[in-house]
């Protein structure tokens, strides 16, 4: 009869299995965070000064009450007036704050000192720059503009 011999499980094989498990967990965590940030984009973020960059809401209850402090005027506020409003807002040369379609009644406010805004259809949104309403464009017109924060009171 032949001699039965089982190969011992070497340390190298155990190290490779452990490394594979760690890499798999890292991919799952990174993918989960990326997916979560994709769903959360344009709703909450941080500006360069560490303050919230955007606040999106569709209900008046989500806004802070005026009794606690005077409301801050956002650099740009976009309010969707149609069923679908494609909006792109970014910090010049920096972070993209929103690049998605807003739904009817949804609004997004941004407090960064300088912003670039691109609207695929300028007639579908109401835009306020430093609290002042901008004139809407004709239906189907694409508009791109920059807004700089006005000095506060």
């Amino acid at each position: 009869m032949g001699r039965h011999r089982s190969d011992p499980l070497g340390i190298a094989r155990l190290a490779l299995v452990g490394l594979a498990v760690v890499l798999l967990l890292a991919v799952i965590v990174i993918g989960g965070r990326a997916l979560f940030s994709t769903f959360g984009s344009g709703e909450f973020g941080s500006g360069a000064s560490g303050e919230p960059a955007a606040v999106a809401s569709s209900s008046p209850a989500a806004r802070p009450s005026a009794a606690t402090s005077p409301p801050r005027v956002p650099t740009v506020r976009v309010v969707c007036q149609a069923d679908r409003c494609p909006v792109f807002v970014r910090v010049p040369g920096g972070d993209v704050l929103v690049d998605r379609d807003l739904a009817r009644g949804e609004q997004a406010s941004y407090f960064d000192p300088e912003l670039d805004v691109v609207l695929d259809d300028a007639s579908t949104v109401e835009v306020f720059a430093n609290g002042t309403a901008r004139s809407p464009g004709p239906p189907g017109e694409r508009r791109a503009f920059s807004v700089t924060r006005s000095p506060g009171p």
Side-chain angles (χ1 to χ4, degrees):
M1 281 193 139
R3 188 172 170 194
H4 180 73
R5 178 176 168 217
S6 62
D7 288 330
L9 193 60
I11 190 79
R13 189 181 301 172
L14 287 175
L16 286 175
V17 169
L19 181 62
V21 169
V22 169
L23 287 175
L24 179 65
L25 289 174
V27 167
I28 290 171
V29 169
I30 291 170
R33 290 186 71 182
L35 185 62
F36 179 73
S37 69
T38 300
F39 288 133
S41 71
E43 294 180 7
F44 299 102
S46 291
S49 61
E51 61 191 21
V55 177
S57 69
S58 57
S59 68
R63 292 184 212 121
S65 75
T68 57
S69 66
R72 288 185 14 191
V73 177
T75 308
V76 171
R77 189 178 100 191
V78 180
V79 182
C80 182
Q81 303 294 324
D83 291 333
R84 179 181 146 306
C85 305
V87 175
F88 177 84
V89 179
R90 75 177 185 132
V91 176
D95 294 335
V96 173
L97 302 176
V98 66
D99 184 10
R100 67 179 181 94
D101 293 348
L102 300 179
R104 182 181 298 274
E106 187 176 6
Q107 57 181 304
S109 298
Y110 303 95
F111 296 89
D112 293 88
E114 188 175 351
L115 297 167
D116 290 334
V117 180
V118 178
L119 307 170
D120 281 349
D121 187 349
S123 68
T124 62
V125 294
E126 192 174 9
V127 178
F128 297 90
N130 295 307
T132 304
R134 289 181 57 99
S135 61
E141 180 180 293
R142 179 182 168 100
R143 284 217 174 146
F145 56 92
S146 294
V147 178
T148 303
R149 182 182 250 332
S150 64

